Amino acid sequence: MTAVYSIPKSISERISFRSKPVNANNIRAVVPTYRDWDGLRVTLDSLLSLQTPPKRISVANDNADDSVPDWLREYQVELVNYPGNCGPATARNKGFGLRGDVPFEKVLGILADAARGVRVDPDYIRNGYCPELKYADYDSRPDQFTWESEFDWIYFTDCGCRHDPRLFLKFEEAWRESGDCCVAICGPITGEGSGLINDYMTEQGILNPPLERNLHGVYIPQAIVTANALVAGLPFAFLGGFDPVFQEAAGEDLDLGIRLRELGMIAWASGASTAHRFDESEDDFCRRFRRYGRGNRKLELKHRLPCMRARPFNPDRKDDAEHQRLAQLALEAMQAGYDEAISDVDRGVIRIKQTQ
């Protein structure tokens, strides 16, 4: 299923960025959790078992209260508490260290202005929402931004994930192969176990980003998927992180990928795999794909994309009746989610979006 949809490519001609090398021994990990302490423990154990474990792990507690299980105190992690249940986009931003909200129309306007040759003036950084993001000569409208942090690269993953032991080493190799035009790196995400749904998620590449050929004929991602994504800290902060408008786990990572690709390429590390256990429940399966459908609609409207309503597709293993049946369930759920996210007030009107 990975290749059945595509996201338009857009790289800014006015804003330039070149990333620092990935150092497998100096990566920070951010993990959001919401009512999944058991899954969090699986992820923490996996990260700490890597050949080069994260130098720091930040856990964003998106629960409605700040109570945590006793066992978490045994782990050397930074726990970020706040009034929770805000959604995974906000949770990851809080875990990263962003302070306050960022006006995303302003961010998009900055990128549009830069493409037209207008001076970049991101005044949203005035409130100090990211202390590590530095700029020079603000009063004269800055044209250079730097990153003053111990960590140049941040790894995002989810609860319930197990990682390849050489994960960060493989990201390091991918950066060397891709060059410093790279702003993010992601790898494959598979289902864990031998159940039908986990097998389907693996075989169909459901959680892998859409791919495109680069000028060397190599397939590279058009977006990131946050269960397994390494992102450079400077462009992440400059772009305002994840958009809190996406309050479900659907679309917020594709949205960030679209914006990151205006500053550089997203690399693919085929060996940097992560396994995610999915419930062997068709009800949970359908809820997941319904959520994906709603996320696609939000993504479509925000970035003025062509229709992203799911269309029938032939899954791999066409001879497998169970995979065919799950593909049909996924299609119907995504279409239902997309349709329920449509508002009639968005039709029949031309809206001018203000960026100032």
Side-chain angles (χ1 to χ4, degrees), residues 130-146:
C130 183
E132 292 85 4
L133 180 63
K134 306 296 183 180
Y135 54 90
D137 300 323
Y138 184 85
D139 291 338
S140 60
R141 305 187 70 159
D143 56 12
Q144 179 172 304
F145 299 83
T146 57

Side-chain angles (χ1 to χ4, degrees), residues 1-5 186-192 196-211 221-228 253-254 268 270 273-276 278 285 288-289 292 313-317 323 326-327 330 334:
M1 187 176 176
T2 300
V4 301
Y5 69 104
C186 55
I189 302 164
T190 64
E192 186 181 47
L196 174 61
I197 288 176
N198 280 274
D199 180 58
Y200 176 84
M201 300 295 277
T202 298
E203 291 288 333
Q204 306 306 324
I206 298 300
L207 290 187
N208 292 341
L211 304 175
Q222 293 183 313
I224 66 169
V225 176
T226 44
N228 187 19
D253 43 9
L254 300 181
W268 179 247
S270 60
S273 61
T274 292
H276 188 294
F278 299 94
F285 179 85
R288 176 179 296 276
F289 280 91
Y292 292 165
F313 71 98
N314 290 318
D316 295 335
R317 290 171 52 175
H323 275 229
L326 288 178
M334 287 190 72

Side-chain angles (χ1 to χ4, degrees), residues 246-321:
F246 294 87
Q247 296 182 346
E248 298 181 287
E252 83 286 2
D253 43 9
L254 300 181
D255 165 66
L256 178 63
I258 290 174
R259 290 183 283 123
L260 283 171
R261 289 170 70 229
E262 299 208 44
L263 301 182
M265 67 168 284
I266 300 173
W268 179 247
S270 60
S273 61
T274 292
H276 188 294
R277 177 170 289 279
F278 299 94
D279 290 343
E280 288 293 333
S281 159
E282 289 191 4
D283 287 342
D284 180 78
F285 179 85
C286 290
R287 285 194 297 270
R288 176 179 296 276
F289 280 91
R290 198 176 187 111
R291 192 172 73 237
Y292 292 165
R294 291 193 293 267
N296 281 356
R297 175 62 175 177
K298 290 182 180 179
L299 191 72
E300 171 191 312
L301 291 176
K302 176 176 178 178
H303 292 280
R304 306 174 186 87
L305 301 177
C307 178
M308 294 187 69
R309 190 175 191 268
R311 298 182 182 182
F313 71 98
N314 290 318
D316 295 335
R317 290 171 52 175
K318 301 179 181 65
D319 58 339
D320 190 316

